[in-house]
Amino acid sequence: MSSLRFQALQDILDREPLMKEEESMSRAELFGTNVFNRSAMKKNLSSDIFKKVIEAIEGGRRLDRSIAGQVATGMRTWAMAKGATHYTHWFQPLTGLTAEKHDAFFETTSDGEAIDHFGGAQLSQQEPDASSFPNGGIRNTFEARGYTAWDPTSPAFVMGSTLCIPTVFVAYTGEALDYKTPLLKTITAIDKAATDVCQYFDKKVTKVITTLGWEQEYFLVDYALVNARPDLILTGRTLFGHLSSKGQQLDDHYFGSIPERAKAFMEEFEFESIKLGIPVKTRHNEVAPNQFECAPIFEELNLAVDHNQLVMDVMEKVARKHKFKALLHEKPFANVNGSGKHNNWSLATNLGDNLLSPGNTPKSNIRFLTFFVNTIKAVHEYNDLIRASIASAGNDHRLGANEAPPAIISVFIGTELSAVLDVVEKRVTGDKMNTDDKTDLKLDIGKIPSILLDNTDRNRTSPFAFTGNKFELRAVGSQANCSSSMIVLNTIVAKQLQEFKKSVDGHIAKGVKKDEAVFKILKKYIVESKSIRFEGNGYGDEWEKEAKKRGLSNIKTTPHALDVFILDKTKKLFKDLDILSGVELDARHEIELENYKLKIQIESRMIGDLALNQIIPTAIEYQNTLVSNVNGLKNIMGSKFKKTAGSQLNTIEMISEHITGIEKNVSLMVDARRKLNKIDDGAKSARGYCEKVVPFFDAIRRDVDKLEIIVDDKIWPLPKYREMLFTK
Ligand code: ADP
Ligand code: MG
């Protein structure tokens, strides 16, 4: 029987792009057709109920129980017309995935009949048996369940035959067990803090919303090849694999023409996303072969996060249909670029103005500068928290590996805006500003809009870059829930804006004019936060040295990065803003450490398994072929055989060396695991896995990858890099 690898290669020869039936409607017409949005609500709810739901959404409030029944009935009618038979509360537990438990719209009555049913109680709250979701010791299995509750700011939608209701997930004791609960709290916190600051400049601003535009990178690999790679199936990445002769060195994939099969996949995946109200707009090839990116138009943060979680789900489902596997892991292939997510973040007012975009009046330019500088200052104060918020086992492969921004958090703003900050620093002096300085300063600030108009200054190596009208956090992992980093960013900026307001008010109380007070504090921040600003090449070794001099952290691995979550300073910050309690932070810390440890443990087991059960037997098989060849030569050539068989003899020896190397390292790795598994302390054990287990991965891989290029291609069991990355 031929191996799975060869069957897969055979299968791929017959693949054709899976053409989709023509959609009769345009993207714009299809947009949101599977979403219970305002127009669907209007059609399916009485005008009185409709009004109340909209009020709840706009006020960011829970739905009033008294109308939940009528909303549920309208929602069910709408969903059943779309083909839904089941409903689920759709939530985002700390596993990083989304969770759902489906119930049918169906109930039996006392007289033995059955009816379609979905009531207010089912809409508002569900009680999933949550003891098996990560809870970091908040609840043990004996205690009460957690519950999910509808968050009306994100609309319900139909996916396949299921009505999905976005919910928060909390313990009965009140602690958050998900990403959404704290995210919503940060949205409220930053709204309050930013609106207060906006009041200095424009009294008409009554609300500030956070906006997020994510960009999602992924790989597409033929499903048959993935099936022949147990490591890809179980861990999402290849644990072995020699680099192919051609990789990404020609840069011929980036923005290249999209291969037919991939394009057919994208079309269908985009149509499905559009129906779910996800405004996907951009698609292109990425740097690595078979790597792609998709990006939507930006949206309000909570909705954007839900849509990113959904997109990853839709992507996997549609890929399957097209006989692809969409790989979302941060580093599916060693020595080939990995995948990330870029989180473009900004703030917008109820009047529709982007606070990170300067306007036409001097006032709006000062406002721009205020939000711009406060964000930089926040990142300066809490850069370790940003680093922790993007930490994961997968992302450890990218950060600092010369393809993604380094593990050092810094801010890039471009030469022109740097010059503007220098001007503020120079002009704002003394207790009272003189009139000339004030006029000059305003003139300089007045130039910001034109500066930004042709601001092409882009630095792709920076983890946190200002890109004209938003900040772009580029170090997020491709599988991550965007909330993790957005919770931190919103929290630290909200805190910073509060501090700013306190200081400005203090000056005003002492008789300083408002504008002068604002400038004074901004100058102070500009000076204090200089060390976080870096305009050079973030991938270079020079920067590591420079950053060390500046006292910036460079935490390369997840277990170490996470520790900042449980510092007193962090607990105080999150408590002051009412985002997460100390207990909740402890729990999250524990969950993330456990998650890290389990991922490494699975990879380590998989490495041992593949090495001992596939690689070594294959190597021995080939070695046996060589041995019989040498014996045959000896038979016919007698004493002269050694000269003729020299190369085979060499190879036989090399194979033995690699086999010995693998066996030795696997056995040492298993010993290390055994010892660590006896440790109860989660942090200690995660750190142990990082320091004592991970180093064996590369050592074992070196021997395996050498064998890959020695052993006869015909019997090598695992699909090779050239096959996974270049088959179209
Ligand atoms: P790139 O970073 O690839 O050069 P763009 O700069 O065109 O791409 O935009 C990237 C992303 O930024 C898009 O997803 C877009 O929706 C998002 N974006 C644009 N404006 C904002 C904003 N005000 N707030 C949040 N995201 C935004
Ligand atoms: Mg980008």
Side-chain angles (χ1 to χ4, degrees), residues 674-720:
R674 260 196 213 118
K675 277 195 202 117
L676 290 165
N677 291 345
K678 294 202 184 95
I679 299 178
D680 273 339
D681 181 329
K684 234 187 188 165
S685 132
R687 223 171 277 148
Y689 264 88
C690 177
E691 285 156 10
K692 306 233 163 71
V693 175
V694 171
F696 287 109
F697 293 8
D698 275 348
I700 297 168
R701 182 174 188 141
R702 258 193 302 278
D703 281 315
V704 172
D705 289 358
K706 276 275 163 23
L707 284 172
E708 182 184 321
I709 50 171
I710 297 175
V711 170
D712 185 355
D713 184 61
K714 279 204 300 291
I715 58 168
W716 192 255
L718 301 173
K720 297 187 170 180

Side-chain angles (χ1 to χ4, degrees), residues 211 213-215 296-298 344 346 354 458 460 470 472:
T211 53
W214 43 262
E215 302 163 59
I297 298 167
F298 69 92
N344 295 274
S346 191
N354 178 350
R458 288 241 163 162
R460 303 241 161 228
K470 59 197 181 286
E472 181 172 1

Side-chain angles (χ1 to χ4, degrees), residues 311-567:
V311 142
M312 293 193 282
D313 210 15
V314 173
M315 199 179 263
E316 296 203 306
K317 287 195 172 108
V318 176
R320 184 86 199 228
K321 208 168 138 190
H322 287 253
K323 303 243 172 8
F324 280 125
K325 170 101 179 131
L327 300 179
L328 287 161
H329 193 283
E330 282 77 15
K331 193 73 175 178
F333 304 98
N335 298 312
V336 172
N337 264 26
S339 301
K341 237 189 283 259
H342 291 178
N343 281 1
N344 295 274
W345 173 94
S346 191
L347 297 168
T349 69
N350 55 308
L351 309 173
D353 297 332
N354 178 350
L355 291 171
L356 288 174
S357 182
N360 303 321
T361 62
K363 258 210 178 100
S364 58
N365 290 331
I366 303 175
R367 185 175 76 182
F368 159 75
L369 211 55
T370 297
F371 283 93
F372 180 65
V373 171
N374 270 287
T375 307
I376 297 171
K377 170 79 168 150
V379 175
H380 175 260
E381 288 306 292
Y382 295 103
N383 63 83
D384 283 351
L385 266 180
I386 300 237
R387 169 66 186 94
S389 76
I390 52 171
S392 69
N395 221 13
D396 279 1
H397 295 284
R398 288 175 69 240
L399 301 179
N402 279 348
E403 59 170 83
I408 311 159
I409 301 297
S410 65
V411 182
F412 168 87
I413 59 172
T415 36
E416 276 96 352
L417 281 167
S418 299
V420 172
L421 298 194
D422 290 345
V423 168
V424 176
E425 188 183 337
K426 212 171 82 202
R427 300 267 184 216
V428 183
T429 48
D431 278 344
K432 201 166 174 348
M433 287 179 72
N434 72 45
T435 327
D436 282 355
D437 273 345
K438 245 175 41 192
T439 317
D440 284 351
L441 184 57
K442 287 204 172 151
L443 266 175
D444 277 321
I445 290 173
K447 289 183 202 139
I448 297 176
S450 52
I451 288 175
L452 289 183
L453 219 52
D454 49 23
N455 176 22
T456 45
D457 209 356
R458 288 241 163 162
N459 181 334
R460 303 241 161 228
T461 66
S462 174
F464 196 75
F466 185 71
T467 51
N469 56 2
K470 59 197 181 286
F471 278 101
E472 181 172 1
L473 178 58
R474 299 215 184 91
V476 181
S478 48
Q479 307 177 82
N481 185 314
C482 296
S483 298
S484 180
S485 51
M486 294 296 101
I487 288 170
V488 164
L489 187 57
N490 273 359
T491 304
I492 64 177
V493 174
K495 172 73 178 169
Q496 183 52 53
L497 290 170
Q498 284 181 353
E499 294 294 319
F500 173 76
K501 181 157 166 34
K502 229 191 281 163
S503 305
V504 172
D505 284 351
H507 280 313
I508 293 174
K510 278 190 240 146
V512 181
K513 278 214 188 119
K514 188 176 71 191
D515 278 4
E516 260 185 72
V518 167
F519 279 129
K520 246 187 204 338
I521 306 301
L522 290 183
K523 173 190 168 158
K524 181 169 172 277
Y525 289 173
I526 291 167
V527 173
E528 286 169 354
S529 60
K530 251 187 202 159
S531 66
I532 202 77
R533 274 161 52 199
F534 179 63
E535 303 287 307
N537 175 15
Y539 294 180
D541 294 337
E542 286 308 302
W543 173 225
E544 276 204 42
K545 288 185 205 130
E546 164 72 19
K548 197 167 176 192
K549 263 196 240 150
R550 294 190 188 186
L552 296 175
S553 323
N554 184 6
I555 311 171
K556 301 207 172 187
T557 55
T558 294
H560 301 88
L562 291 173
D563 284 345
V564 63
F565 276 131
I566 51 168
L567 296 183

